[in-house]
Structure formats: C-alpha cells, structure tokens
Amino acid sequence: MNRILPLVLLSAALLARPAAAQTRRSTSGLQLWPEAQAELALPGNDYLLLSARGQQNTDNNHLLGGDPKRVLGFDEQRLNLAYEHFFGEHWSLGGTLGYFSASTKDYVLIPEVLLRHRSPVGPLTFGQRLSVERTFPSVTGAKGQTNARLRVDLEKLLPLGTGSFALRPRLSYEATTHVRLLTSDTDPDERTIQFTSLRGEVGVRVAGLFDFTPWFAYQTNYSFSLASYDRFNNIIIPAGRLNAVTPVLGLDLRFTILQGQGAEGRQQLPTQH
C-alpha cells in the first residue's frame, strides 16, 4: 500500500478541478477512432507496440471526398511506437514516440516517458499511469509544450469456457495539464486541467493472441473563452470558463506476436496504452 500511496496522492491533486462560476458547456459531434495495434511480446512481460489510429469527426462528414486534407477518409491520423519494461508484478517504465498529423503537410512529434503501477483491489485490478510528454509541431513559428498526463483505471479479466476467450470490462479516467516551468505576463490564461477523458470499454481476448475492444468516451477540453458581442457592441456571451465536450466511439484491434512463448501467465495490458 505504501508503494501505491504516492501515485494516489498525485492522482487526487491532478484530477481535482476548482469550482467556478459562469462555466459554459458545449458539445460537438461524435468522433470515430479506429485503431490497429501489433504487439511483440518480449521476455518478462516486456513488449514493443506499434499502433496506427484514424480519427473521423462526424461534424465534417459533408466534406468527405472533397477535403484534400483528409487521408483515407480520416481528419487526423496518429502512429505510435512504444516500449515498456516491467520491474516486477506491479511496476513498469516505458516510453513512446507518437506521430500526429491533421493534414498532409502539418504534423507533430510527441515523445513520452511513462511510469505505470498495477495492483489487485479485491477482485479488480487497479492501474495508475503517469507520464510526461513533449510536443514538437512542424508548423513554422508554432511552439511546442510539455504536458503531464495521469490515468487511473479499474478492470476485470473474465475467462469464458476453457479460457481461450475472455472478457475485459474496464473503466478509466485521464487528466492532462500543461507544465510551464517559466511563465510571463504575456502567457495566455489556462485552466489547471486542460483535458479529461472518461472511457468505458469491454474487450474480448482470443487465446491471448487477438484483442477486440469497442469503447466509448466523453472527452472534455477546459479553456477560457472570450466574450462575444453583437453589432451594437453589446455582450452576447460573457467571457468565462468553457468546457468543450466531445463524445468518442472507438474500436481497438490488437494482434500479439508471442515468439514461441505461451500466453498463459503473461501479464498483458489493455489496448488503451
């Protein structure tokens, strides 16, 4: 329990958001996030993971076939390469390198370092994932930024029949904050937490070799909005806090290459890396 406490306390500090008056809420259209993953199993539960994800915003479906920025019908695309090393049953350390593109020309490179802890809580498995990432945009003049991410989750692996099939229901919550070591008066105001995601899923595992995971999430961006005025310079919408909510429907498909190893007894993480 002493090993879990530091991350739990950090979780409480990062996930807490101060209450505020005049907070507006907006909701955008559904986003679709299909993702394909290939996992190479390494000794000691370590692994190398390559994933490719597309993102389609249904609000832009009227542009399908007419927007030159779309690639394979997706508004955004992301490639990710990840490695994770397990120090034991509970702790692991890893790194990822992400390539994010919202058009055929502009892209962002996102290296990340992560620390993960997993332990049983009664019949469930409780997980904590803390990471720091840095964004490097390709757009001339654009500034990169450093983000800290924290995710907590609860899951349960339910074998079916002889064990070749298993269900993996899981609930996770993630929060992100912008890390600024040096600030100036010209920096824009930011909320303490800029992004959260509440995700529920039910994964299906087949013989430890294939995972089929449909999921649904509510993602929220937290920002400060400017006031809106009419043509007579009267305020229509006052400035204040804005919570922009986006529902997301996703499907993760993961193929595992065991390299002659047995799937029995291997600790395999959920598809949400």
Side-chain angles (χ1 to χ4, degrees):
M1 179 62 69
N2 290 336
R3 294 181 178 180
I4 304 177
L5 186 59
L7 286 185
V8 171
L9 293 177
L10 183 58
S11 302
L14 186 56
L15 298 181
R17 299 198 307 273
Q22 295 185 341
T23 298
R24 295 192 296 113
R25 183 177 184 271
S26 67
T27 303
S28 62
L30 180 70
Q31 292 185 358
L32 305 177
W33 287 23
E35 181 170 314
Q37 305 175 357
E39 177 182 324
L40 179 64
L42 302 174
N45 292 322
D46 294 3
Y47 67 89
L48 188 67
L49 180 72
L50 177 64
S51 62
R53 187 187 77 202
Q55 176 179 323
Q56 183 182 128
N57 306 326
T58 58
D59 284 344
N60 296 339
N61 278 350
H62 65 284
L63 299 175
L64 187 58
D67 187 352
K69 292 186 177 181
R70 281 191 176 230
V71 177
L72 299 177
F74 295 116
D75 299 284
E76 300 175 3
Q77 309 83 39
R78 176 159 180 164
L79 296 176
N80 213 58
L81 179 64
Y83 168 76
E84 194 157 346
H85 172 68
F86 283 76
F87 296 101
E89 184 181 357
H90 303 296
W91 290 94
S92 62
L93 179 69
T96 71
L97 179 61
Y99 173 91
F100 175 84
S101 175
S103 71
T104 56
K105 296 181 180 180
D106 301 332
Y107 61 87
V108 180
L109 290 178
I110 312 173
E112 177 191 40
V113 177
L114 67 95
L115 176 67
R116 194 189 308 268
H117 181 272
R118 288 162 57 81
S119 61
V121 177
L124 305 176
T125 298
F126 175 60
Q128 303 171 84
R129 182 188 188 276
L130 177 66
S131 70
V132 177
E133 67 179 22
R134 177 70 180 177
T135 62
F136 294 94
S138 65
V139 180
T140 303
K143 294 183 179 180
Q145 70 176 41
T146 301
N147 300 315
R149 294 182 178 273
L150 177 67
R151 181 195 306 154
V152 293
D153 61 78
L154 284 172
E155 65 166 293
K156 174 68 174 176
L157 191 63
L158 303 171
L160 300 177
T162 59
S164 295
F165 292 84
L167 294 180
R168 194 173 202 162
R170 178 173 169 272
L171 182 67
S172 69
Y173 184 78
E174 179 177 308
T176 302
T177 186
H178 179 197
V179 179
R180 294 190 294 183
L181 300 180
L182 297 175
T183 60
S184 66
D185 295 337
T186 60
D187 289 339
D189 291 335
E190 290 183 329
R191 308 275 290 274
T192 303
I193 300 298
Q194 288 87 49
F195 174 82
T196 61
S197 176
L198 177 62
R199 166 169 161 161
E201 64 186 55
V202 178
V204 180
R205 297 192 62 192
V206 182
L209 299 173
F210 175 70
D211 290 76
F212 173 90
T213 307
W215 56 271
F216 182 78
Y218 269 102
Q219 300 185 350
T220 306
N221 286 284
Y222 302 90
S223 62
F224 288 106
S225 64
L226 300 177
S228 298
Y229 299 87
D230 61 17
R231 60 185 181 135
F232 302 107
N233 208 32
N234 296 317
I235 294 179
I236 302 175
I237 301 176
R241 289 171 166 81
L242 174 64
N243 299 349
V245 179
T246 302
V248 181
L249 182 63
L251 176 63
D252 296 345
L253 301 176
R254 181 175 63 195
F255 300 87
T256 303
I257 304 171
L258 292 174
Q259 301 188 98
Q261 305 179 47
E264 300 81 8
R266 175 175 174 79
Q267 182 180 178
Q268 194 169 30
L269 297 174
T271 58
Q272 186 185 18
H273 176 264

